[in-house]
Amino acid sequence: QVQLVESGGGSVQAGGSMRLSCAASGTTFPRMGWLRQAPGKEREGVAVIYDGYRTYYPDAVKGRFTISLDSAKNTLYLQMNNLKPEDTAMYYCAADQDYGTGVDWTNYNYWGQGTQVTVSS
């Protein structure tokens, strides 16, 4: 049974850092990612990793967020630096057995429960 269990959310002041973790069980995945959804907004991808090393980021977080995978632990991480109030959202990890088309930010079959990140100014 596939499970993605997230941890590491919370509150931080603007300019601070936070690391999210996502422990995956049941299998390994060629594509994993982090997404977020703020109230009243659509869910958006903030990082994706293919085959454990090819990483992609949208402009909104590039240079501030880093996605990584510890293959030995099958645990996905999102290191977030220089956080801004607009980064406030529910963050989800996600995974899929398919590579998708191009850089696939949002189409995943497996999802974590979400963890809240709040950045205050």
Side-chain angles (χ1 to χ4, degrees), residues 29-33 48-51 94-96 98-100 104 107-108:
F29 303 93
R31 178 168 60 98
M32 301 184 76
V48 62
I49 187 167
Y50 290 86
D51 296 322
D96 205 288
D98 291 333
Y99 287 95
D104 197 332
N107 296 309
Y108 293 93

Side-chain angles (χ1 to χ4, degrees), residues 23-120:
S25 61
T27 188
T28 58
F29 303 93
R31 178 168 60 98
M32 301 184 76
W34 289 96
L35 302 91
R36 67 186 181 188
Q37 187 166 21
K41 294 189 176 182
E42 291 187 358
R43 189 174 295 181
E44 61 175 350
V46 296
V48 62
I49 187 167
Y50 290 86
D51 296 322
Y53 71 97
R54 288 184 294 126
T55 59
Y56 299 90
Y57 307 91
D59 289 343
V61 307
K62 193 175 294 183
R64 301 188 298 121
F65 288 13
T66 303
I67 187 172
S68 61
L69 177 68
D70 185 331
S71 298
K73 298 180 179 179
N74 207 17
T75 298
L76 186 72
Y77 299 99
L78 184 68
Q79 177 67 44
M80 303 183 292
N81 298 327
N82 190 22
L83 283 160
K84 304 175 180 181
E86 52 263 43
D87 294 318
T88 295
M90 184 72 77
Y91 282 71
Y92 300 88
C93 74
D96 205 288
Q97 296 286 13
D98 291 333
Y99 287 95
T101 302
V103 179
D104 197 332
W105 298 101
T106 59
N107 296 309
Y108 293 93
N109 279 323
Y110 302 100
W111 294 82
Q113 79 282 5
T115 185
Q116 179 67 37
V117 172
T118 302
V119 184
S120 58

